[in-house]
Amino acid sequence: MPKVSIDLDMVLVTNQEFVKKAEDCMPELHETMVKPAALVDIVKTDAVYPQVKQKDSVENLSNYHLAKGDKICLDFGDHQVGYVTLKVNSVGSPQDAPAFLRLKFGEIAKEMTENSADYDGWISRGWIQEEYIHVDILPAELKLPRRYAFRYMEIEAIDTSLKWQLVVEDVTCISVSAASMDEVKHIESEDEMVRSLDRVSLRTLMNCMQSVFEDGPKRDRRLWLGDLRLQALTNYVTFRNFDLVKRCLYLFAGQTRDDGLVSACLFTEPKFIVDDTFLLDYSMFFGAALLDYYKASGDMETLRDLSKCAYRQMEIVKEQFDEKNLLVNGEGFWAFIDWTEGLDKQAAMQGVYIFCTKKVQQIAEILGDKEKATELSAEAETKAEAARKYLWDKETGLFVSGSDRQISYASQVWLILAGAVSSEEGIQILDKVKELNPEKGMVSPYMNHHYVEALLLCGKKEEAMDYMKYYWGGMISSGADTFWELYNPKNPAESPYGNSIVNSYCHAWSCTPAYLLRKYF
Ligand code: RAM
């Protein structure tokens, strides 16, 4: 569990002009009416992921007369994000007691076999998509007020009475997204796995594109900067919704800490406010995301408006280096990088700093700010030199991190992406780290994305493709319709939250195969 510190004294500064520009880019959501595709049984086996067995046609839905304890499970055929309405009725004697129902929604079948009462994790159980409802008078139309992210929906009659049973006559979902599949061309390939990687990535991204780029429509349903950067990159080559990215960038710059630091995430409901979580890598990615947006859209006005905010992030982090020009490890949950337990983030963060400095340098160059560009270029070089001098371990031929000289994938990947080594050196590093297989591996698709980018940067195209098929393909083989927040092939039940019931199974930062396939293959 990351140490969470709540800073109630934090002073926020709002730029109303930026907030207004963000509001002007508020998307209109596409709505699609979706009906369940079938009635299914979800059967637990010895395997991690249960089996889904077709049970009946949905045409026969109202033939199921549910008495106390009976349940049915509906399969909506694909991952949905939307609002559900049910029509329920009674059969038998007059309804002499309230209908007492439990509704449960799951993004993947495994969630349907998990019991919310067993949840013992450290984030809110409120994220579990489950409702207990009393209906006094039947027939009734139940319009559920929450938005759910799901493919499966279970309806359990917790109780009726001895004299009547519950009938579900109809269920519909109005699925919502700022994007539409009609706007995108799927990848054509002879290879079925490549087509699946693309299809599942697109669905993941589409379902996370709401009034902002959400990290996950089940959880946490908010805008995170690290996730945004990868979603935006994928969006530019697929749905091409530039305004949604513009909106998100203006929101981040629209409210910052009083020293100008950009928050890691923000809320737009009930009103716009940034969160008191600050992750230095995410703050620095503001500049990288801004440059990517400009390159994709050509929107010079936004680049100009937001460049100061991008510069500011680098200035703030610049203060955190020691006399050797190494970034000092922060306290608690100070940087993200990955959810790998016990990961020392110093070396990876040194890489992120160099990477982002170079991106922000490009912004300065585009804006003709020569002095800033020269300063940033020198800064990137100094920090890369320090990494080569102090973080390089001659014996193993790998980068080390922190006072314990920890070896991890993350350190190698980020220092390669930062260009702290040549691509020939990068090839050797990537081969060595794979051979060494350090205990500190990678668990989030976010970190795995950066690993694949490092392979591609070093020209290891075939290995990158094989890895995508192994990693994201592993989720597909486990039944994924959308890619997950966390996937560790070596430990499928892993969760950063102490229990996987609250894991998100449509998580934006995992949508990047659609980007990688289009950009590099
Ligand atoms: C989690 C979310 C989000 C991520 C942060 C760091 O809360 O999964 O996507 O960016 O962690």
Side-chain angles (χ1 to χ4, degrees), residues 17-18 21-22 25 236 242-251 253 286-287 289-295 297-310 363 366-367:
E17 192 197 320
F18 287 179
K21 285 196 177 182
C25 291
Y236 301 141
F242 298 121
D243 268 6
L244 193 61
V245 185
K246 181 176 172 184
R247 167 170 161 77
C248 296
L249 291 172
Y250 272 105
L251 285 174
F286 181 82
L290 176 61
L291 178 72
D292 294 338
Y293 168 75
Y294 169 73
K295 284 189 171 170
S297 68
D299 177 353
M300 183 59 101
E301 186 188 322
T302 300
L303 186 75
R304 248 184 236 296
D305 267 4
L306 303 183
S307 56
K308 289 221 169 49
C309 181
I363 296 179
I366 295 165
L367 295 177

Side-chain angles (χ1 to χ4, degrees), residues 122-123 214-216 219-228 231 264-265 277 279 281-282 333 335-339 444 446 485-486 496-497 504 507-509:
W122 59 270
I123 62 169
E214 292 183 12
D215 62 334
R219 209 215 80 248
D220 321 306
R221 303 168 162 222
R222 71 185 99 131
L223 174 61
W224 286 84
L225 224 164
D227 306 57
L228 168 66
Q231 285 170 295
C265 66
T277 302
L279 299 168
D281 43 350
Y282 279 24
F333 195 35
F336 177 61
I337 304 290
D338 192 22
W339 277 122
S444 65
Y446 173 83
E485 170 182 20
L486 188 111
Y497 313 115
S504 152
H507 212 74
W509 65 20

